Amino acid sequence: MNEFKPIELDDKAVIDDLLSQDPPETSELTFTNLYIWRRCYTPVWSVREGVLLVILRNSEGSPFGLPPVGPGDKRAALEYLSSYLGEFHPGAKISRVGRRFVDAYVSPESFRILEDPDNSDYVYLSENLIKLSGNKFHKKKNHLNKFIKNYQFDYRTMDQDLAETCLQLQADWCELKDCSEDESLSDEDNAVFEALTHFRELKLSGGAILIDSRVEAFGFGEKLNPDTAVIHVEKANPSIPGLYVAVNQRFCQDAWSEIEYINREQDLGIEGLRKAKQSYHPHHMIDKFTIVPA
């Protein structure tokens, strides 16, 4: 397969098979992220000699590649992808490239390597997110305990029916945040809708907290590689103190207690999001880079 094509739900088996043979470390490289964000990034993909090649477009419509992934020759695939992009858009970049890929396959003689901290992933020990033990998690544990004390709630593992029920909370959250006036929030709203309406087909894991039989918080994610899960989205009613801490803790406990690390994706350079992710004390970061033909 050499022609690039738009991503469709039926492509999941082929893409998942390639990812399973070369498990990624960066959060972008899941079928779910490629599929649910397709209205924003219009991804196209191809397979070349056992390597998955993906091209996205940014908000200005300029194309960029993701790092090649799969069991084939990734160095050759990178050269091909860069050359292919360059034919249509000289100087096109390969973005969201993890350090491990850079060290193994990127030649400084062929590419300029630029740091991309806004897209670097936060990775946590699942044990820390579940137990919230020690002084550094003292405030989080207090918020959780106050929520448990003040609210009667149910935590439920997500299935397709519950996922679709979560759409009302997403709609309420978007009305509160005025998503229609913010392009990035509108794009996220579309992505959440796609994930929840195709929860079963995407084979996601998720959970929700209900208060008075109403969904007030939810989260969903999936396994990224053998020792890491990735959480794609968490949403909670912001008027309920401690609810964000509660849904994170319960979801991790329910879904990821047997896995070592949890990737909570990037902060996108948004100060509030950065503070929130740093407040959970990441174990390490997956540093990412943009590479540009030299």
Side-chain angles (χ1 to χ4, degrees):
M1 182 191 302
N2 290 318
E3 293 299 320
F4 285 86
K5 64 184 288 286
I7 195 166
E8 299 174 358
L9 196 56
D10 289 343
D11 299 326
K12 178 173 169 58
V14 173
I15 292 176
D16 279 352
D17 180 60
L18 288 165
L19 294 174
S20 70
Q21 295 180 67
D22 182 26
E25 61 173 353
T26 56
S27 59
E28 289 84 2
L29 290 172
T30 68
F31 177 82
T32 295
N33 264 341
L34 295 174
Y35 181 77
I36 68 176
W37 288 95
R38 70 192 186 283
R39 289 179 61 180
C40 177
Y41 292 106
T42 58
V44 294
W45 68 285
S46 179
V47 176
R48 178 179 171 83
E49 298 179 355
V51 181
L52 173 67
L53 305 177
V54 178
I55 298 173
L56 310 178
R57 290 186 179 272
N58 62 23
S59 57
E60 288 78 39
S62 299
F64 65 94
L66 292 181
V69 60
D73 186 341
K74 288 184 280 293
R75 188 184 298 274
L78 174 64
E79 296 289 346
Y80 173 83
L81 181 61
S82 179
S83 176
Y84 180 92
L85 283 167
E87 290 182 19
F88 306 100
H89 194 87
K93 305 170 182 177
I94 311 295
S95 298
R96 320 293 176 85
V97 185
R99 182 183 296 278
R100 189 171 66 188
F101 186 96
V102 169
D103 291 344
Y105 304 111
V106 180
S107 167
E109 290 76 31
S110 301
F111 295 94
R112 289 188 295 126
I113 303 168
L114 310 173
E115 293 184 356
D116 185 12
D118 292 350
N119 282 301
S120 294
D121 288 338
Y122 290 76
V123 182
Y124 307 81
L125 285 171
S126 59
E127 182 180 14
N128 287 345
L129 298 185
I130 293 168
K131 294 183 178 180
L132 299 174
S133 301
N135 289 335
K136 63 183 180 181
F137 292 106
H138 181 70
K139 289 184 179 179
K140 298 290 185 188
K141 193 65 173 284
N142 278 347
H143 290 320
L144 175 63
N145 289 337
K146 286 180 180 178
F147 171 77
I148 293 172
K149 179 180 179 181
N150 292 329
Y151 293 90
Q152 294 289 325
F153 69 93
D154 291 318
Y155 175 86
R156 296 184 189 173
T157 301
M158 195 178 291
D159 57 15
Q160 184 64 57
D161 291 339
L162 181 55
E164 292 177 11
T165 304
C166 293
L167 288 169
Q168 184 59 55
L169 173 61
Q170 174 64 20
D172 294 342
W173 190 94
C174 253
E175 183 175 356
L176 178 67
K177 300 293 184 179
D178 204 6
C179 289
S180 61
E181 300 300 318
D182 185 314
E183 184 176 5
S184 63
L185 292 181
S186 179
D187 289 337
E188 183 191 58
D189 184 40
N190 289 329
V192 173
F193 176 84
E194 292 286 356
L196 293 176
T197 55
H198 297 290
F199 184 84
R200 182 186 298 112
E201 295 98 321
L202 292 171
K203 298 181 180 179
L204 295 169
S205 297
I209 287 179
L210 287 76
I211 300 174
D212 295 329
S213 300
R214 176 184 171 89
V215 173
E216 297 289 4
F218 67 84
F220 58 80
E222 62 187 313
K223 201 168 182 181
L224 180 63
N225 58 52
D227 64 4
T228 307
V230 57
I231 295 180
H232 295 306
V233 169
E234 278 183 355
K235 287 292 174 71
N237 184 338
S239 68
I240 300 177
L243 184 53
Y244 268 105
V245 179
V247 71
N248 178 52
Q249 190 271 335
R250 291 300 164 102
F251 179 35
C252 292
Q253 180 176 272
D254 181 57
W256 311 124
S257 60
E258 301 300 319
I259 203 160
E260 188 171 8
Y261 298 111
I262 295 176
N263 182 319
R264 292 177 57 84
E265 302 191 342
Q266 57 276 88
D267 62 38
L268 302 173
I270 301 170
E271 185 62 27
L273 196 54
R274 178 172 293 155
K275 288 182 178 178
K277 290 181 183 292
Q278 289 176 345
S279 72
Y280 274 99
H281 306 285
H283 178 267
H284 62 275
M285 303 290 293
I286 302 296
D287 295 323
K288 293 182 196 168
F289 301 85
T290 295
I291 59 175
V292 187

